[in-house]
Amino acid sequence: MLSDPHFKTYLELLLKWNKVYNLTAITDPKEVQIKHFEDSLSALPFLPKTGRILDIGTGGGFPGVPLKIARPDLEVVLLDAVRKKITFCEAAIRELGLKGIKAIHGRVEDENQIRQLGLFDVIITRATFSLPEFLTLALPYSSPTTLAIAMKGRDWKVAGFKAEENGWKLKEAFDYELSEDLGSRSLVVFSRIYQEQVSPS
Ligand code: SAH
C-alpha cells in the first residue's frame, strides 16, 4: 500500500511545507512513512467499504489523507481549527488529485458549522483529544450506526471513564506495533448505544 505513488508525493509535500508550516515534528522521511502513513493505515480494517468519514483535528492530514489514498471510495472530511493546517491539506488534496475529500477550517465544538456537513459513518481522531472529550465532541455528528475511532498511544485508558455515559460503548481495542520498533499504539473503536439498549436506571 505504501508503494502507491500518492504516498511519495504526499511525503515530498509534507516535508516541503513543514519547513514553514510546522505540520509535524518528524522530518526523517522513513519515520514519516512509518509514524504517519503506516500508523494512519492501521485503521483500514475497521472502516466500512463505503461511507463518510470525519477526521477531527487532522493536522497535516492524519489519518484522513492516507485512508483516502487507500480507499478512494470513502468520502472524507478533514477538520482542523488551525487555518494553515487546512491550507496545507487543501494543497495536498489538489496535488494528489484526490476527489471526494475536503478540508474544513473550524472547531469541532462549533455545532452550527459542523452539522451542516451532515452525519458521518465513521468519526476518527489521532493524537488529539482524551477519550471522554472525543466521544462527547463526536456525538452530535453521529447516527446510531456510527463508529468512533480513537488512535492513541497504549496509555488510552482513563481512570473511572465510562463510555456509556457519553452515549457510546467500547467495541474493540486493538494494540499494534509500528515497523522498525518505532512505537506501540492502540486503536480504540466505539459504537453508539441505541436508545433502546440503554437500561432503565
Ligand atoms: N491528527 C493529526 C494532528 C494531531 S495534533 C496527527 O495525528 O498527526 C492535534 C490537532 O488537532 C491540531 O492540528 C489542532 O489544531 C487540532 N485541534 C485541536 N483542538 C481542535 C478542535 N477543538 N477542533 C478542531 N481541531 C482541533
Side-chain angles (χ1 to χ4, degrees):
M1 174 48 63
L2 286 173
S3 57
D4 183 315
H6 282 101
F7 283 107
K8 183 168 177 284
T9 310
Y10 189 24
L11 176 68
E12 286 165 3
L13 274 177
L14 192 70
L15 294 180
K16 184 170 140 202
W17 284 60
N18 200 38
K19 294 190 182 118
V20 184
Y21 274 49
N22 297 325
L23 300 161
T24 171
I26 304 168
T27 52
D28 175 63
K30 187 77 201 160
E31 266 195 63
V32 171
Q33 272 168 355
I34 294 172
K35 290 190 174 172
H36 287 322
F37 299 170
E38 180 191 301
D39 186 35
S40 294
L41 294 174
S42 309
L44 280 177
F46 303 92
L47 302 183
K49 289 250 173 334
T50 57
R52 311 188 69 228
I53 299 195
L54 175 65
D55 178 9
I56 303 178
T58 191
F62 305 112
V65 172
L67 293 175
K68 176 67 189 178
I69 292 171
R71 290 275 182 87
D73 289 347
L74 292 170
E75 190 186 329
V76 176
V77 175
L78 310 170
L79 176 70
D80 205 284
V82 174
R83 178 73 245 179
K84 66 180 183 177
K85 307 222 170 157
I86 291 305
T87 304
F88 168 74
C89 288
E90 285 168 341
I93 290 168
R94 205 169 47 241
E95 295 282 328
L96 293 168
L98 300 174
K99 307 280 177 243
I101 175 168
K102 59 186 171 186
I104 305 286
H105 175 226
R107 292 180 60 77
V108 65
E109 293 89 342
D110 189 351
E111 281 191 41
N112 286 339
Q113 181 195 1
I114 311 303
R115 268 184 185 275
Q116 288 176 22
L117 302 168
L119 300 181
F120 292 87
D121 302 297
V122 175
I123 303 177
I124 197 162
T125 196
R126 193 186 78 147
T128 306
F129 306 101
S130 71
L131 274 183
E133 281 173 330
F134 171 51
L135 294 177
T136 304
L137 292 166
L139 199 60
Y141 317 118
S142 67
S143 76
T145 57
T146 297
L147 295 180
I149 304 179
M151 303 183 70
K152 305 190 75 72
R154 283 285 163 83
D155 55 347
W156 59 270
K157 288 191 180 124
V158 178
F161 164 64
K162 293 190 182 62
E164 292 75 12
E165 288 168 8
N166 297 54
W168 301 89
K169 64 175 187 295
L170 181 63
K171 191 160 180 277
E172 59 185 305
F174 170 65
D175 292 338
Y176 59 100
E177 303 290 335
L178 295 176
S179 297
E180 304 196 10
D181 281 336
L182 283 179
S184 305
R185 301 280 186 274
S186 293
L187 193 149
V188 199
V189 185
F190 296 85
S191 56
R192 281 271 308 268
I193 301 176
Y194 290 84
Q195 210 56 44
E196 55 272 23
Q197 288 179 309
V198 179
S199 51
S201 50

